[in-house]
Structure formats: C-alpha cells, structure tokens
C-alpha cells in the first residue's frame, strides 16, 4: 500500500485532472478506507458527499483528518472508517463526490458495498 500511495503522490506533482480515489473501494464490513483527492487547487475548501438513506449527506467529518482543505501540493488525503454507514447503504455501487465550497462536484468515484451474508444460528 505504501508503494501505491507513494506513486500517487509522485503523480500528483505533475498536472493531472481532478481525481478521487478510494482504497479499498469495496467494503463488506467495518473497513478503513483511504481517501485521496489529486489535481486540486491548493488551499481550496472541499468536502465529501454521498447519498445515504436517500439523503445527500456530507461525510467529510467522518474521515480523519476531516476533509476540509486542499494542501499546498493540490491534494487531500484521509482515512475513513466506514462502519455505521453500512447500515444505510444497500449492496452495490454508491457514488462518492468530492465537492467545492459551493457544492459543485469536482471529482467522483464509486464505493461498492457487498454486505456479508448473515450467519445462520
């Protein structure tokens, strides 16, 4: 994983389009997901949103550190402990949006939820 993240940061030093990456992007149970935004404007205020329970929800504060501002190299990086959100998410793909301070979508990616089967008693 360190090699992957290192390569991503090296790539972020060249001009690239806005990109949002989740690693891993498939979850079935409580999982620490690394959130990486690249190619952004330094100092820009940003947030992370997704539909949960039929409502567009700001999930920026669920990441550690909270996703709030782009660093001097045009990136954001945080760890999101996906856990309680799984109760509100159906199996399948869910769009995650990186948005600016006006709520405009900058970049998107997908989070796939595959809940494990219930244990038989």
């Amino acid at each position: 994983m360190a090699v992957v993240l290192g390569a991503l940061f090296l790539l972020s030093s060249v001009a690239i389009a806005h990109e949002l990456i989740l690693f891993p992007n498939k979850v079935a149970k409580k999982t620490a997901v690394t959130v990486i935004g690249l190619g952004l404007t330094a100092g820009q205020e940003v947030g992370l949103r997704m539909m949960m329970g039929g409502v567009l929800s700001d999930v920026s504060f669920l990441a550690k550190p909270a996703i709030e501002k782009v660093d001097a190299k045009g990136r954001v990086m945080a760890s999101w402990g996906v856990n309680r959100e799984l109760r509100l998410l159906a199996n399948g793909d869910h769009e995650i949006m990186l948005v600016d301070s006006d709520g405009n979508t900058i970049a998107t990616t997908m989070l796939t939820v595959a809940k494990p089967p219930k244990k038989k008693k």
Side-chain angles (χ1 to χ4, degrees), residues 20-87:
L20 180 61
I21 301 165
L22 300 180
F23 183 79
N25 64 345
K26 296 179 183 176
V27 297
K29 59 183 179 179
K30 181 179 179 179
T31 305
V33 174
T34 301
V35 179
I36 304 169
L38 301 171
L40 307 169
T41 303
Q44 181 178 20
E45 293 181 8
V46 294
L48 204 59
R49 293 188 182 161
M50 70 180 298
M51 293 295 290
M52 283 197 311
V55 176
L56 184 60
S57 302
D58 183 346
V59 294
S60 305
F61 65 94
L62 297 174
K64 302 296 180 220
I67 296 175
E68 299 174 319
K69 207 169 204 178
V70 177
D71 72 13
K73 294 185 179 181
R75 58 188 183 207
V76 292
M77 184 173 161
S79 179
W80 174 17
V82 177
N83 184 19
R84 289 175 280 162
E85 301 83 354
L86 291 174
R87 289 180 277 170

